[in-house]
Amino acid sequence: MSVMDAIDVTKPRAPNASSGAEKPSLIGLSREEMAAVLREKGVAEKQIKMRVAQLWNWIYVRGVSDFDHMTNVAKDMREMLKQHFTIARPEIVEEQVSNDGTRKWLLRFPARGAGRPVEIEAVYIPEEGRGTLCISSQVGCTLTCSFCHTGTQRLVRNLTAEEILSQLLLARDRLGDFPDREAPQGTIMPAEGRKVSNIVMMGMGEPLYNFDAVKQALLIATDGDGLSLSKRRVTLSTSGVVPEIFRTGEEIGVMLAISLHAVRDDLRDILVPINKKYPLKELIDACKAYPGLSNARRITFEYVMLKDVNDSLEDAKGLIKLLKGVPAKINLIPFNPWPGTNYQCSDWEQIEKFADFINSAGYASPIRTPRGRDILAACGQLKSESERMRKTERLAFEAMMIANHGADD
């Protein structure tokens, strides 16, 4: 079976994707910012609080993307909103559905200022008791991790809070996850509860290099009067931007994941070059100080298994020593090869030996099952292969990192 036989590929366009390109979006604004822009457009002060509450409910609870659908908003108010603002979704350049139910969207955002339109990817992974959405925070990446295909792309720009949140809104649209919506026929998703129950900031880019926009987007995503995701179901993954780690816990309060991949500075300097700036001791000290850290709120450490590089029992022993005193879960990720890489995936027998040693030391150490490989939706494959192939076929190494993050309850 060919890759194209294994997936369903469609190219729907988001409603009003181009018509709202020159207008500012209300998506991603805080309540205070939304009040300010309404005030600027002449909305009476005594109405501001009520109008903000209406808009917040329509955008984040009902999930509308057209002001005309806001049926309890006066017609003249709707006309003013349409004239000055947008709540349109990004354009869907391509949607791919893997034979395991993983979905990948290639999304296009309009130009900002003198820039050009940009494209990013988001990935949805359905599991037995949850549906996890992987969200991007930047267009491209600056970190150049040597095993990561996504890291071969130059950084174009940070995404705005609107663009980060829009990935969640669009996914909920496409999955029928707003009230009075139905999922496309044949969609694989959790049997109960929300279709998108968990979020991981593990897509393109380093979230902590775009801290303010990521913070605003995640605070809106976890707002109890809107999208209302539990902070225990939101995981932010960083390669180790140490100065921002404490702020993440203090100001956002979500779960933390660390892209670790090595237990020695000399090796991590190669695999994750940010280690040269923030070496392992500083990183682990920052993890130990993470606000709210406990056995119930463990840090997840991601560890990609590279044959004859970081997969020996000595490495496993070093990992246990390194994480001593840190409530942790260790995700072992079989490496997904990509064209041009010099790395190979560890032998399965070696991965199991490594996992057994970690488990015997008292750490949960699941081995990630490959997901979305047929549509390049796995870890480190986001938007990379498509850079070669007309930017249409992207993602697959990240899907193993995406799955099973955050709480179940």
Side-chain angles (χ1 to χ4, degrees), residues 194-406:
R194 290 184 173 189
K195 280 66 171 186
V196 181
S197 62
N198 292 56
I199 290 177
V200 292
M201 296 298 305
M202 292 183 176
M204 296 172 60
E206 165 55 64
L208 296 190
Y209 278 156
N210 188 17
F211 184 90
D212 290 338
V214 168
K215 172 185 173 179
Q216 181 137 326
L218 292 185
L219 289 180
I220 293 174
T222 56
D223 185 285
D225 292 324
L227 292 163
S228 197
L229 282 165
S230 166
K231 290 187 177 184
R232 295 187 67 232
R233 287 178 170 266
V234 178
T235 301
L236 184 148
S237 177
T238 177
S239 293
V241 185
V242 167
E244 308 295 347
I245 288 177
F246 185 86
R247 287 186 68 198
T248 299
E250 187 79 0
E251 300 179 25
I252 309 177
V254 295
M255 307 294 278
L256 181 68
I258 303 292
S259 292
L260 186 63
H261 312 306
V263 298
R264 308 187 321 269
D265 281 321
D266 61 334
L267 178 57
R268 196 166 191 268
D269 286 349
I270 297 170
L271 296 180
V272 189
I274 195 176
N275 193 73
K276 298 174 184 176
K277 188 172 185 179
Y278 305 115
L280 283 168
K281 184 181 185 307
E282 293 183 24
L283 176 59
I284 298 304
D285 285 347
C287 290
K288 290 178 178 177
Y290 192 70
L293 182 64
S294 67
N295 286 329
R297 293 177 63 87
R298 295 173 294 174
I299 294 174
T300 299
F301 290 88
E302 309 288 357
Y303 197 93
V304 64
M305 299 298 294
L306 302 171
K307 186 174 182 178
D308 299 327
V309 174
N310 66 351
D311 62 351
S312 70
L313 287 184
E314 286 302 312
D315 289 304
K317 292 174 184 177
L319 185 55
I320 298 303
K321 183 178 180 181
L322 181 70
L323 299 185
K324 185 177 181 181
V326 182
K329 179 172 73 173
I330 302 163
N331 281 348
L332 301 180
I333 307 163
F335 176 63
N336 259 347
W338 43 268
T341 182
N342 292 322
Y343 295 109
Q344 297 179 355
C345 181
S346 303
D347 296 334
W348 196 257
E349 181 181 1
Q350 186 64 21
I351 295 175
E352 290 182 329
K353 288 180 180 177
F354 198 101
D356 288 343
F357 185 89
I358 301 298
N359 284 318
S360 67
Y363 290 91
S365 183
I367 303 171
R368 286 284 160 258
T369 303
R371 299 289 300 272
R373 278 182 164 173
D374 55 330
I375 59 170
L376 285 178
C379 300
Q381 293 180 331
L382 297 191
K383 199 177 174 289
S384 50
E385 193 63 13
S386 43
E387 291 292 325
R388 300 164 174 259
M389 302 169 65
R390 203 186 55 80
K391 297 185 177 180
T392 56
E393 293 184 347
R394 320 175 179 237
L395 269 125
F397 171 59
E398 223 110 68
M400 287 177 284
M401 287 173 71
I402 295 167
N404 199 32
H405 279 85

Side-chain angles (χ1 to χ4, degrees), residues 34-52 54 76-77 80:
M34 196 177 291
V37 298
L38 293 181
R39 196 175 288 115
E40 288 175 2
K41 299 305 177 186
V43 177
E45 188 64 38
K46 63 182 180 181
Q47 292 186 12
I48 292 288
K49 185 175 181 180
M50 180 265 289
R51 293 304 188 192
V52 168
Q54 283 182 320
D76 60 344
M77 176 74 174
M80 183 277 290

Side-chain angles (χ1 to χ4, degrees), residues 30-242:
S30 66
R31 287 182 176 83
E32 293 75 21
E33 291 168 336
M34 196 177 291
V37 298
L38 293 181
R39 196 175 288 115
E40 288 175 2
K41 299 305 177 186
V43 177
E45 188 64 38
K46 63 182 180 181
Q47 292 186 12
I48 292 288
K49 185 175 181 180
M50 180 265 289
R51 293 304 188 192
V52 168
Q54 283 182 320
L55 290 170
W56 199 270
N57 183 269
W58 280 112
I59 294 170
Y60 297 122
V61 177
R62 307 301 298 183
V64 303
S65 57
D66 186 331
F67 291 115
D68 283 334
H69 295 161
M70 298 181 175
T71 52
N72 66 345
V73 177
K75 185 175 180 179
D76 60 344
M77 176 74 174
R78 295 201 305 267
E79 290 302 317
M80 183 277 290
L81 291 170
K82 285 193 293 183
Q83 181 181 352
H84 295 290
F85 304 106
T86 180
I87 51 174
R89 306 296 189 250
E91 176 187 350
I92 302 176
V93 178
E94 188 168 53
E95 179 177 33
Q96 296 188 52
V97 184
S98 168
N99 52 22
D100 65 16
T102 297
R103 286 175 176 258
K104 180 179 68 172
W105 295 281
L106 174 60
L107 307 178
R108 179 177 295 143
F109 293 106
R112 299 283 174 186
R116 298 178 178 180
V118 296
E119 295 177 354
I120 58 95
E121 288 177 329
V123 180
Y124 174 73
I125 294 184
E127 300 175 83
E128 182 68 28
R130 68 173 78 197
T132 301
L133 181 68
C134 177
I135 292 177
S136 294
S137 58
Q138 295 180 308
V139 184
C141 188
T142 62
L143 294 181
T144 63
C145 297
S146 63
F147 60 88
C148 178
H149 203 178
T150 305
T152 63
Q153 302 157 55
R154 66 183 180 88
L155 178 68
V156 178
R157 67 169 173 84
N158 288 334
L159 294 179
T160 64
E162 170 214 340
E163 291 165 336
I164 294 168
L165 266 178
S166 290
Q167 297 170 64
L168 172 58
L169 296 177
L170 183 140
R172 293 192 66 182
D173 282 345
R174 299 295 298 170
L175 295 166
D177 202 22
F178 280 116
D180 306 319
R181 313 279 179 88
E182 293 186 3
Q185 190 170 5
T187 301
I188 299 173
M189 59 182 60
E192 298 179 353
R194 290 184 173 189
K195 280 66 171 186
V196 181
S197 62
N198 292 56
I199 290 177
V200 292
M201 296 298 305
M202 292 183 176
M204 296 172 60
E206 165 55 64
L208 296 190
Y209 278 156
N210 188 17
F211 184 90
D212 290 338
V214 168
K215 172 185 173 179
Q216 181 137 326
L218 292 185
L219 289 180
I220 293 174
T222 56
D223 185 285
D225 292 324
L227 292 163
S228 197
L229 282 165
S230 166
K231 290 187 177 184
R232 295 187 67 232
R233 287 178 170 266
V234 178
T235 301
L236 184 148
S237 177
T238 177
S239 293
V241 185
V242 167

